[in-house]
Each structure stands twice: as structure tokens, then as C-alpha cells.
Amino acid sequence: MGSGQVINGGGGGGGGTNGSTGGSCNSCWCKWRWKPQQQQQQHVHGHVHKSNQNFQGRRLMLSSGYLFIVWCFIVYGFVGLFYGWLAFKKPYMSMGMPTVGCKEDSEGSWSIGVFYGHSPFSLKPIEAANVRKDDSAAWPVANPVMTCASVSASGFPSNFVADPFLYVQGNTFYLFYETKNSITMQGDIGVAKSVDNGATWQQLGMALDEDWHLSYPYVFDYQGQIYMMPESREKGELRLYKAVDFPLKWTVEKIIMKKPFVDSFIINRDGKYWLFGSDHSGFGTNRNGQLEIWYSDSPLGPWQPHKKNPIYNVDSSLGARNGGRPFVYDGYLYRVGQDCGESYGRRVRTFRVEVLTENEYKEVEVPFILEVSNKGRNAWNSARYHHLDVQQLSSGQWIGVMDGDRVQSGDSVLRFLLGCASVAAVATIIVLLGLLLGAVKCIIPLNWCAQYSGKRSDSFLAWERESFFCSKVRRFCSRLNIAASCLQGRIKPNTSVGRLVLAVIFVAGVALTCTGVKYIYGGNGADEAYMWKGHYSQFTMLTMTYDARLWNLKMYVKHYSRCPSVKEIVVVWNKGIPPKLSDLDSAVPVRIRVEKQNSLNNRFKMDPLIKTQAVLELDDDIMMTCDDIERGFQVWRQHPDRIVGFYPRLINGNPLKYRGEKYARKHKGYNMILTGAAFIDTEVAFKRYWSDEAKAGRELVDKYFNCEDVLLNYLYANASAAKTVEYVRPAWAIDTSKFSGVAISRNTQVHYKIRSKCLMKFSEMYGSLAGRKWEFNGRKDGWDL
């Protein structure tokens, strides 16, 4: 009864003995149900046998394709790991960096710098003033003077600092700023103090910490009281705070307006108080392109709207949104605005206010020229700067504080998306390789489109639509497999052309893998300076070369001039016609010092034009990362009385013999640092080298045309019984002289023999180094492994 019902019951669905049901009976199920029982059994057994064979084949194909894909992902994974280890590894502990704070933030990595000038339109960064701080060997002091690291190190975890406002009391400067808390991810108002014209800052704490976001802490005086009007857009109102115990205790004096004003300030002009701010909440308002003006007889109100409000509702690039404190210069009032065209806070623009009345307002833009670094992301403010507070001091000098960022808003999100896209492209390349090699077949398993065995209904129609989609997918996969087979016929892996094509595809996958690692793991691509004792500094690079090594010099200048702390590059030109400065692609000033005599002693010649305490003596044929250079500079700032460098040597034995770094590693210590890649004190080192005591040594250097770096080590050791050298291990270093063959050390055997003679001579002159030895990994930073 049951089987008869099954057979006869199907006829009502579509009629006809051919079993056609709208073209849906091409499946095995339809053919089976209309055959006699014996044929059904034979068909079933045959179908099962074929299905088993197909299943076994497909299982084998799937397993081999699966193994191929896994193997490829493992290979590309190792490539990515190696690239990340080689290019972006941070194998050493960062000195002076906080354990909390400074997390990557989609809003950016804002910092604050100090600028000086004779007018608000001639501002130069603090490093141009050569401000000296001897206690940390940090002169000139360099921008930024405040970062998330300096705030976090004081116990207030911060992701960035921005919107700086100065409040000057005599010779004491107070700096109020927005700091984004790394834990709450909310803006608070911090405050710091400086007693040396803004060169160094002492963090005092948080001036305001509300339950909502705060920024733009505009501070001003009124009737002997100190007020602050921060942005409280998230709260939906504009609040005025009064100092109860300046600078850390404040109380709400009054809610000026129930409006979500952005970046507002109050100024007294022509007997009235004027409030400038932006309200981006209105319908049809251009974000970052709106400006309103209100007026009153007192900062406490009541406030009346300007007749022409909104003054601006324009494109965000035109500077409508305020960008800091207004200032008065030569009797004119100037407003600072933000250009948010390319991205938020791209730069500041200045406007001279020509008319300001209750009914009229007119301003014209005036040029604001600021020296912007060419170091790309290695410069703290190269991408944008959106806030300026400039004030005239009692001395007549102008001082300004400005924030800056090395990346645009959303940089971290964009990098992540680009990294994911690169990984997806690698997966596509793996599938392509598998298709060309025949290891991968595009197969849609049958159980993804299970056959329908119910009655014809709405659900049956839905199944037909799904089956149609599956058939389309299967057809696409079939065509893809056919195309792959055709390509296999033309691109045969066993031929040279086939191998070349596969190699190109594989290399493309490697390139995409490295790109993905760069975007996801490599950070923002910047090599940043290291802070020491709360601030940064700069150094001069010095290299000695001649005409046969010009190509080395061009590559050298282009690379190292982008390092964050490099102030200037001095080229000691010993022989031949020097290049034109226009031939060198440099982000910092380059000075070519042409020497009359071709002597290695010129390397340490006294140079009064050098404006930094630290000099990095670095041969033009040595290429290292900027991060290695910055780490070496930080170690030197801790030990400015020593030679700090990257190539250690151990001088011992009897007789003395010059040996390479492997010998020092084998004997677990060093007592010499080669000055072909080392930081020294420009005053101390040069004076010692050109002293009367060193005259005999200099003559030996000229005689052998070698050993000037060895001589300086002996002079340092002779001047002190304490440690005189420090080693910093670079992540990697390349000696480009091996490609040119113009280095004096190209014949290692002869070079070492001459240096061994120098060791014996210098030991007779200045005493032996054999009794000195310092172990690797002797410092806590782990940079001398």
C-alpha cells in the first residue's frame, strides 16, 4: 500500500507518463520514481556504485585541494612573519615609554609643539632657537614638547593631546589642553606648567574631568577672575567655569547657552564681548563650515545673536570653524580658522577682522606661513595642524603653541581595511595557483542543493528558485574549471614559460602578503623619535666622502634626512668636485664642507657651524633604519660622555690584533666602538682629537690613511677610568661599499693588518685597552644584546 501510494500519488502533481513536471525531472529522483521495481533496483545499485566512485574521486580531489590551499597559506604565512620580523620588529624594550596610554586611535596621534617669533606671522619651531638643557644632553630641545607619552608617564593615560591654550603669569606658563583618556576614551582637560619659556613642561594633572567629552579649553581673565570655556558639545550646552584654586580646581559659574557650540571663544573688542562658535546640529548645516557670532556686555551674558547669523555656512575648507585663540597685532584683530577640506584639521588659516558690529561682519584672509617638515610621517605635524594659540610676552617676543599629527583621521581603520583586502587578494591568488596546477577544482557539493521530495507547493517553488541559483553557481564553477584546463594546456608548468608565469603569480602573492602585514601589523609607517626626561632633541649627521662615492651619498642623504631627530647633514668632502645641493634629495639642510687635504682626520675637525651637542658620525656606505638611529641617539642622551655606536670590537691579546665583531661576541664583551657609526659629543670629542696630546696619533692616521676611529677610542679611554663606550645593536645594517668596491676596507686582510699596527702604536702612546671589557646586555633597555 505504501509503495503504491508513493507511485500513484506523484501523478497528480504534473500528469503525463513522461514524468515532466515543468522541466524539474532531470534529477535522479524523477527518473527513479517512474521505472518498474526491478529497473528501480538496478538503477539504484548502478547509481549508488557510480555515486560512490564519484564521491571517492571528489573526496580525493577535495582533500588534495584542501591540502594545497593549507600548504600555500602556511608558506605565505611564513613569508608574512619573516617580513614583519625583518621590517617592523620591535625586539627591544622602549625606554621612557609608558606602560599605559598612547594606544592607536582612529582620531590620530596629536601632539603639541612650541614656536617662537618676532611676530605671530614669523613663528619658528623651538629647535630653531637652540634652547639648551644640559641635564639630559637635550639641546637643542625639539618639538613636540608634549605628547601622549609625557602625559601617560605622569599617571594620566592618554591617547593624544590637542587644542593647546596658554595662560601666562609672569615667567610661568600654564598650558591647558585636551587629552583623550585611554581608558574612558573621553576627552578631559589637562594642565602643565613651564618655567623656562615652554622648553620643558611639568604635568600638574586634570583640570576638568566631566561625564562627557571636553576639549578646546579657552582660558581668559575677567574682573580679576580666571575663567575657562571648554567645548561641551556632547552635553548640548556651553558652560563657563571659574577657577577656585588655579589651575586644578574649577566650578561651573554659568551655563551661557543651551546650544552644542563647537570650538568657541570670547573676546573683548570695542567695549563689547563677542562670542564666536559653531553649531553643527542645525538642519542644512555644513559640518566644520558654519560660524555664528553673539554679543553681550559681559561674558556672563545675556547674549544676543548677530544680525547675519550664521556668518558662514560654507565648505569646510574655508576656515569657518575656529582654530584657536584670536590675537591682536598692529591694532588689528585676527581670527584663526581650521581648514578641514582634505581631512579634519588639515591646517590653520588666519583672517584679519575688518568690520565687527552688531549688524555687520567682514574678514579677509591673510597668509600664514609655517615651516612644514619634509620628513613625511616621521615628522610629528607633517599631516595636519589645526589649532594655534599665539601671544606676545612682556619681552616683546611672540610665543605660540600648536598641535600637530603625523597621520590623517581614520588612518588606522583605513590601514586595517587595506590589509584585509590584501589578505583576500592572497587567497584569490592561492586559488588561481591551485587551478593552474590542477590541485584545486571548483566543486559545489550535492548536499548544498538537496533534492526536494515533497508535494508541489509554495515551498516547492522556493526550492526551484534555490535550485536555479545552485545550477548557476555550478555552471560558473564548471566554466571556471574549463577555463583553468584551457590555461593548463597553454601554460604548462613543466615548460620554462609556465614556470615563469607561476613564479610571477607566486611573487605577486608574496608582495600582497607583505602589503597586508605592512598595513595591519606595521603601524602608521613612521619611525618616531624616543623621548628622554620628558622631551625630544636633535643631532647633526656627519659623513666623509669624495667623488667616487657620489651614488652612496645620494642614497644616504635621501634616507637619513627623513629620520625624525636629524637637524642637519654635514658632508666632509675630501677629494674631487663636490655635488650641487640641488642634486641631493634631502628633507633637512645639507652643508658640504670642502677640505683642502684628503685626510681621515677631517672627520673630527672642529666645526663652529654645528649647532647641536650630538653628532652622529656615520659612513656614507652604511644603511640602517631610522629606528636604529633613534635608539642610538636616546642611549647617547643618557651617556653623553661616551662613544655610543653600532659596531663593537674587543681589543686584547698579546700581541694586540684587530678582529671583527664575531671575536667580541665569542669572548662576550667589547671595549671599543667604531666611529664610522657612532654618536659623540661635538665639543668633547673634537677637542680631544685636535689636542696637542693627539698630534702623534693624527700623524699616524695620515701615514696609514686609516685608524682615525681607533685613535678616538684611545683618547676617550685615556681621559677616564670609567666606561667610555656604549653599544646599541641595530636591527639590520647594510654595507653598500660592497657593491661599489671603493671602501678602504674592501681588502679585509690588509685593512685588519694595518689596524693591528695602529693598536700597538696607540697602546704605546696612550695606554692599552686590554684591561677594559664590558659585557653585552649590560643595560636594562635590552638594546645591547
Side-chain angles (χ1 to χ4, degrees), residues 317-348:
S317 65
L318 298 180
R321 180 171 177 172
N322 293 322
R325 185 189 303 271
F327 59 90
V328 176
Y329 179 65
D330 284 346
Y332 288 98
L333 174 65
Y334 291 86
R335 184 182 71 87
V336 182
Q338 296 184 41
D339 179 350
C340 298
E342 298 177 15
S343 67
Y344 169 69
R346 175 64 186 88
R347 64 188 180 100
V348 297

mmCIF file of all heavy atoms in Angstrom, residues 317-348:
data_model
loop_
_atom_site.group_PDB
_atom_site.id
_atom_site.type_symbol
_atom_site.label_atom_id
_atom_site.label_comp_id
_atom_site.label_asym_id
_atom_site.label_seq_id
_atom_site.Cartn_x
_atom_site.Cartn_y
_atom_site.Cartn_z
ATOM 1 N N SER A 317 36.576 73.631 3.953
ATOM 2 C CA SER A 317 37.963 74.009 3.699
ATOM 3 C C SER A 317 38.218 75.505 3.852
ATOM 4 O O SER A 317 39.367 75.945 3.799
ATOM 5 C CB SER A 317 38.362 73.578 2.285
ATOM 6 O OG SER A 317 37.611 74.291 1.318
ATOM 7 N N LEU A 318 37.176 76.318 4.057
ATOM 8 C CA LEU A 318 37.309 77.771 4.013
ATOM 9 C C LEU A 318 37.612 78.403 5.359
ATOM 10 O O LEU A 318 37.675 79.623 5.474
ATOM 11 C CB LEU A 318 36.047 78.394 3.406
ATOM 12 C CG LEU A 318 35.764 77.962 1.952
ATOM 13 C CD1 LEU A 318 34.499 78.611 1.436
ATOM 14 C CD2 LEU A 318 36.940 78.315 1.058
ATOM 15 N N GLY A 319 37.776 77.592 6.421
ATOM 16 C CA GLY A 319 38.241 78.120 7.705
ATOM 17 C C GLY A 319 37.170 78.732 8.572
ATOM 18 O O GLY A 319 37.477 79.586 9.417
ATOM 19 N N ALA A 320 35.920 78.323 8.415
ATOM 20 C CA ALA A 320 34.854 78.891 9.234
ATOM 21 C C ALA A 320 34.971 78.457 10.698
ATOM 22 O O ALA A 320 34.766 79.261 11.615
ATOM 23 C CB ALA A 320 33.494 78.485 8.671
ATOM 24 N N ARG A 321 35.307 77.211 10.928
ATOM 25 C CA ARG A 321 35.429 76.715 12.307
ATOM 26 C C ARG A 321 36.673 77.293 12.961
ATOM 27 O O ARG A 321 37.747 77.341 12.362
ATOM 28 C CB ARG A 321 35.502 75.191 12.292
ATOM 29 C CG ARG A 321 35.629 74.570 13.668
ATOM 30 C CD ARG A 321 35.482 73.064 13.603
ATOM 31 N NE ARG A 321 35.667 72.443 14.897
ATOM 32 C CZ ARG A 321 35.442 71.154 15.174
ATOM 33 N NH1 ARG A 321 35.012 70.357 14.209
ATOM 34 N NH2 ARG A 321 35.627 70.664 16.386
ATOM 35 N N ASN A 322 36.525 77.737 14.212
ATOM 36 C CA ASN A 322 37.643 78.344 14.930
ATOM 37 C C ASN A 322 38.774 77.349 15.141
ATOM 38 O O ASN A 322 38.541 76.156 15.344
ATOM 39 C CB ASN A 322 37.182 78.893 16.281
ATOM 40 C CG ASN A 322 36.240 80.071 16.132
ATOM 41 O OD1 ASN A 322 36.422 80.898 15.248
ATOM 42 N ND2 ASN A 322 35.227 80.135 16.986
ATOM 43 N N GLY A 323 40.000 77.879 15.126
ATOM 44 C CA GLY A 323 41.177 77.035 15.294
ATOM 45 C C GLY A 323 42.124 77.556 16.349
ATOM 46 O O GLY A 323 43.333 77.355 16.230
ATOM 47 N N GLY A 324 41.588 78.213 17.400
ATOM 48 C CA GLY A 324 42.456 78.700 18.467
ATOM 49 C C GLY A 324 42.072 80.093 18.933
ATOM 50 O O GLY A 324 41.021 80.642 18.573
ATOM 51 N N ARG A 325 42.948 80.691 19.727
ATOM 52 C CA ARG A 325 42.695 81.998 20.313
ATOM 53 C C ARG A 325 42.874 83.106 19.265
ATOM 54 O O ARG A 325 43.862 83.114 18.530
ATOM 55 C CB ARG A 325 43.659 82.246 21.475
ATOM 56 C CG ARG A 325 43.396 83.534 22.245
ATOM 57 C CD ARG A 325 44.531 83.812 23.228
ATOM 58 N NE ARG A 325 44.740 82.714 24.153
ATOM 59 C CZ ARG A 325 44.115 82.580 25.315
ATOM 60 N NH1 ARG A 325 43.237 83.496 25.702
ATOM 61 N NH2 ARG A 325 44.356 81.538 26.092
ATOM 62 N N PRO A 326 41.952 84.074 19.214
ATOM 63 C CA PRO A 326 42.185 85.235 18.347
ATOM 64 C C PRO A 326 43.294 86.101 18.956
ATOM 65 O O PRO A 326 43.565 86.032 20.154
ATOM 66 C CB PRO A 326 40.843 85.959 18.362
ATOM 67 C CG PRO A 326 40.245 85.580 19.687
ATOM 68 C CD PRO A 326 40.688 84.160 19.953
ATOM 69 N N PHE A 327 43.957 86.902 18.136
ATOM 70 C CA PHE A 327 45.033 87.744 18.648
ATOM 71 C C PHE A 327 44.992 89.107 17.966
ATOM 72 O O PHE A 327 44.411 89.268 16.880
ATOM 73 C CB PHE A 327 46.398 87.075 18.431
ATOM 74 C CG PHE A 327 46.728 86.777 16.999
ATOM 75 C CD1 PHE A 327 47.395 87.704 16.197
ATOM 76 C CD2 PHE A 327 46.372 85.552 16.434
ATOM 77 C CE1 PHE A 327 47.703 87.428 14.882
ATOM 78 C CE2 PHE A 327 46.685 85.262 15.098
ATOM 79 C CZ PHE A 327 47.341 86.201 14.323
ATOM 80 N N VAL A 328 45.602 90.072 18.632
ATOM 81 C CA VAL A 328 45.657 91.434 18.115
ATOM 82 C C VAL A 328 47.106 91.732 17.744
ATOM 83 O O VAL A 328 48.019 91.544 18.557
ATOM 84 C CB VAL A 328 45.145 92.456 19.149
ATOM 85 C CG1 VAL A 328 45.299 93.874 18.611
ATOM 86 C CG2 VAL A 328 43.696 92.166 19.505
ATOM 87 N N TYR A 329 47.307 92.215 16.507
ATOM 88 C CA TYR A 329 48.651 92.549 16.030
ATOM 89 C C TYR A 329 48.558 93.816 15.190
ATOM 90 O O TYR A 329 47.754 93.883 14.251
ATOM 91 C CB TYR A 329 49.216 91.390 15.207
ATOM 92 C CG TYR A 329 50.586 91.637 14.641
ATOM 93 C CD1 TYR A 329 51.688 91.801 15.485
ATOM 94 C CD2 TYR A 329 50.782 91.729 13.270
ATOM 95 C CE1 TYR A 329 52.953 92.029 14.971
ATOM 96 C CE2 TYR A 329 52.047 91.941 12.740
ATOM 97 C CZ TYR A 329 53.119 92.099 13.601
ATOM 98 O OH TYR A 329 54.376 92.338 13.091
ATOM 99 N N ASP A 330 49.372 94.809 15.553
ATOM 100 C CA ASP A 330 49.351 96.120 14.882
ATOM 101 C C ASP A 330 47.953 96.718 14.861
ATOM 102 O O ASP A 330 47.530 97.362 13.889
ATOM 103 C CB ASP A 330 49.877 96.002 13.447
ATOM 104 C CG ASP A 330 51.390 95.867 13.388
ATOM 105 O OD1 ASP A 330 52.049 96.138 14.423
ATOM 106 O OD2 ASP A 330 51.915 95.485 12.323
ATOM 107 N N GLY A 331 47.230 96.508 15.958
ATOM 108 C CA GLY A 331 45.907 97.100 16.093
ATOM 109 C C GLY A 331 44.780 96.320 15.454
ATOM 110 O O GLY A 331 43.611 96.639 15.667
ATOM 111 N N TYR A 332 45.083 95.318 14.677
ATOM 112 C CA TYR A 332 44.057 94.530 14.004
ATOM 113 C C TYR A 332 43.759 93.262 14.789
ATOM 114 O O TYR A 332 44.653 92.651 15.397
ATOM 115 C CB TYR A 332 44.489 94.153 12.592
ATOM 116 C CG TYR A 332 44.485 95.300 11.601
ATOM 117 C CD1 TYR A 332 45.661 95.979 11.300
ATOM 118 C CD2 TYR A 332 43.307 95.693 10.979
ATOM 119 C CE1 TYR A 332 45.664 97.025 10.388
ATOM 120 C CE2 TYR A 332 43.292 96.737 10.062
ATOM 121 C CZ TYR A 332 44.477 97.402 9.777
ATOM 122 O OH TYR A 332 44.468 98.441 8.882
ATOM 123 N N LEU A 333 42.496 92.865 14.744
ATOM 124 C CA LEU A 333 42.071 91.600 15.347
ATOM 125 C C LEU A 333 42.148 90.505 14.293
ATOM 126 O O LEU A 333 41.679 90.676 13.163
ATOM 127 C CB LEU A 333 40.640 91.717 15.870
ATOM 128 C CG LEU A 333 39.997 90.429 16.408
ATOM 129 C CD1 LEU A 333 40.729 89.942 17.651
ATOM 130 C CD2 LEU A 333 38.510 90.647 16.701
ATOM 131 N N TYR A 334 42.743 89.369 14.671
ATOM 132 C CA TYR A 334 42.877 88.242 13.758
ATOM 133 C C TYR A 334 42.178 87.022 14.346
ATOM 134 O O TYR A 334 42.291 86.739 15.545
ATOM 135 C CB TYR A 334 44.348 87.908 13.514
ATOM 136 C CG TYR A 334 45.090 88.963 12.726
ATOM 137 C CD1 TYR A 334 45.658 90.058 13.370
ATOM 138 C CD2 TYR A 334 45.218 88.868 11.342
ATOM 139 C CE1 TYR A 334 46.338 91.032 12.651
ATOM 140 C CE2 TYR A 334 45.899 89.829 10.612
ATOM 141 C CZ TYR A 334 46.452 90.909 11.272
ATOM 142 O OH TYR A 334 47.125 91.873 10.560
ATOM 143 N N ARG A 335 41.454 86.334 13.495
ATOM 144 C CA ARG A 335 40.796 85.083 13.891
ATOM 145 C C ARG A 335 41.509 83.911 13.229
ATOM 146 O O ARG A 335 41.887 83.974 12.055
ATOM 147 C CB ARG A 335 39.317 85.087 13.470
ATOM 148 C CG ARG A 335 38.537 83.847 13.934
ATOM 149 C CD ARG A 335 37.092 83.895 13.449
ATOM 150 N NE ARG A 335 37.017 83.690 12.002
ATOM 151 C CZ ARG A 335 36.942 82.485 11.425
ATOM 152 N NH1 ARG A 335 36.963 81.383 12.163
ATOM 153 N NH2 ARG A 335 36.856 82.387 10.116
ATOM 154 N N VAL A 336 41.692 82.836 13.990
ATOM 155 C CA VAL A 336 42.313 81.621 13.468
ATOM 156 C C VAL A 336 41.217 80.619 13.140
ATOM 157 O O VAL A 336 40.342 80.341 13.977
ATOM 158 C CB VAL A 336 43.297 81.016 14.491
ATOM 159 C CG1 VAL A 336 43.970 79.780 13.904
ATOM 160 C CG2 VAL A 336 44.331 82.041 14.916
ATOM 161 N N GLY A 337 41.235 80.105 11.919
ATOM 162 C CA GLY A 337 40.236 79.136 11.499
ATOM 163 C C GLY A 337 40.869 77.828 11.046
ATOM 164 O O GLY A 337 42.073 77.763 10.765
ATOM 165 N N GLN A 338 40.048 76.801 10.973
ATOM 166 C CA GLN A 338 40.516 75.473 10.567
ATOM 167 C C GLN A 338 40.135 75.190 9.118
ATOM 168 O O GLN A 338 38.987 75.393 8.724
ATOM 169 C CB GLN A 338 39.898 74.382 11.434
ATOM 170 C CG GLN A 338 40.266 74.407 12.883
ATOM 171 C CD GLN A 338 39.673 73.209 13.613
ATOM 172 O OE1 GLN A 338 39.669 72.093 13.111
ATOM 173 N NE2 GLN A 338 39.168 73.452 14.801
ATOM 174 N N ASP A 339 41.097 74.711 8.361
ATOM 175 C CA ASP A 339 40.838 74.174 7.029
ATOM 176 C C ASP A 339 40.635 72.672 7.178
ATOM 177 O O ASP A 339 41.570 71.925 7.459
ATOM 178 C CB ASP A 339 42.022 74.479 6.108
ATOM 179 C CG ASP A 339 41.838 73.917 4.698
ATOM 180 O OD1 ASP A 339 40.898 73.131 4.493
ATOM 181 O OD2 ASP A 339 42.652 74.255 3.825
ATOM 182 N N CYS A 340 39.389 72.232 7.022
ATOM 183 C CA CYS A 340 39.063 70.811 7.173
ATOM 184 C C CYS A 340 38.689 70.192 5.828
ATOM 185 O O CYS A 340 37.868 69.271 5.753
ATOM 186 C CB CYS A 340 37.918 70.627 8.167
ATOM 187 S SG CYS A 340 38.282 71.189 9.837
ATOM 188 N N GLY A 341 39.276 70.720 4.763
ATOM 189 C CA GLY A 341 38.903 70.272 3.427
ATOM 190 C C GLY A 341 39.299 68.848 3.131
ATOM 191 O O GLY A 341 38.459 67.981 2.897
ATOM 192 N N GLU A 342 40.596 68.549 3.132
ATOM 193 C CA GLU A 342 41.060 67.207 2.798
ATOM 194 C C GLU A 342 40.744 66.214 3.909
ATOM 195 O O GLU A 342 40.430 65.062 3.658
ATOM 196 C CB GLU A 342 42.560 67.228 2.535
ATOM 197 C CG GLU A 342 42.951 68.115 1.356
ATOM 198 C CD GLU A 342 44.454 68.173 1.172
ATOM 199 O OE1 GLU A 342 45.158 67.322 1.758
ATOM 200 O OE2 GLU A 342 44.923 69.069 0.462
ATOM 201 N N SER A 343 40.860 66.656 5.135
ATOM 202 C CA SER A 343 40.518 65.841 6.303
ATOM 203 C C SER A 343 40.307 66.791 7.461
ATOM 204 O O SER A 343 40.606 67.988 7.367
ATOM 205 C CB SER A 343 41.629 64.839 6.633
ATOM 206 O OG SER A 343 42.793 65.523 7.060
ATOM 207 N N TYR A 344 39.825 66.270 8.559
ATOM 208 C CA TYR A 344 39.602 67.123 9.717
ATOM 209 C C TYR A 344 40.922 67.709 10.215
ATOM 210 O O TYR A 344 41.902 66.994 10.391
ATOM 211 C CB TYR A 344 38.944 66.333 10.850
ATOM 212 C CG TYR A 344 38.931 67.092 12.153
ATOM 213 C CD1 TYR A 344 38.132 68.216 12.306
ATOM 214 C CD2 TYR A 344 39.753 66.711 13.204
ATOM 215 C CE1 TYR A 344 38.132 68.936 13.491
ATOM 216 C CE2 TYR A 344 39.763 67.426 14.394
ATOM 217 C CZ TYR A 344 38.953 68.537 14.529
ATOM 218 O OH TYR A 344 38.974 69.254 15.697
ATOM 219 N N GLY A 345 40.939 69.036 10.423
ATOM 220 C CA GLY A 345 42.116 69.690 10.991
ATOM 221 C C GLY A 345 43.320 69.694 10.075
ATOM 222 O O GLY A 345 44.450 69.575 10.547
ATOM 223 N N ARG A 346 43.115 69.861 8.748
ATOM 224 C CA ARG A 346 44.250 69.789 7.825
ATOM 225 C C ARG A 346 45.288 70.870 8.112
ATOM 226 O O ARG A 346 46.476 70.602 8.131
ATOM 227 C CB ARG A 346 43.733 69.910 6.385
ATOM 228 C CG ARG A 346 44.821 69.969 5.333
ATOM 229 C CD ARG A 346 45.629 68.680 5.305
ATOM 230 N NE ARG A 346 46.763 68.763 4.405
ATOM 231 C CZ ARG A 346 47.965 69.204 4.734
ATOM 232 N NH1 ARG A 346 48.192 69.624 5.968
ATOM 233 N NH2 ARG A 346 48.950 69.232 3.874
ATOM 234 N N ARG A 347 44.870 72.114 8.330
ATOM 235 C CA ARG A 347 45.795 73.194 8.636
ATOM 236 C C ARG A 347 45.010 74.375 9.194
ATOM 237 O O ARG A 347 43.779 74.375 9.189
ATOM 238 C CB ARG A 347 46.575 73.628 7.389
ATOM 239 C CG ARG A 347 45.725 74.231 6.280
ATOM 240 C CD ARG A 347 46.522 74.461 5.017
ATOM 241 N NE ARG A 347 45.718 75.049 3.952
ATOM 242 C CZ ARG A 347 45.715 76.338 3.633
ATOM 243 N NH1 ARG A 347 46.481 77.192 4.318
ATOM 244 N NH2 ARG A 347 44.971 76.794 2.641
ATOM 245 N N VAL A 348 45.718 75.402 9.662
ATOM 246 C CA VAL A 348 45.067 76.607 10.162
ATOM 247 C C VAL A 348 45.167 77.710 9.114
ATOM 248 O O VAL A 348 46.099 77.754 8.311
ATOM 249 C CB VAL A 348 45.673 77.091 11.492
ATOM 250 C CG1 VAL A 348 45.477 76.066 12.578
ATOM 251 C CG2 VAL A 348 47.152 77.440 11.329
#
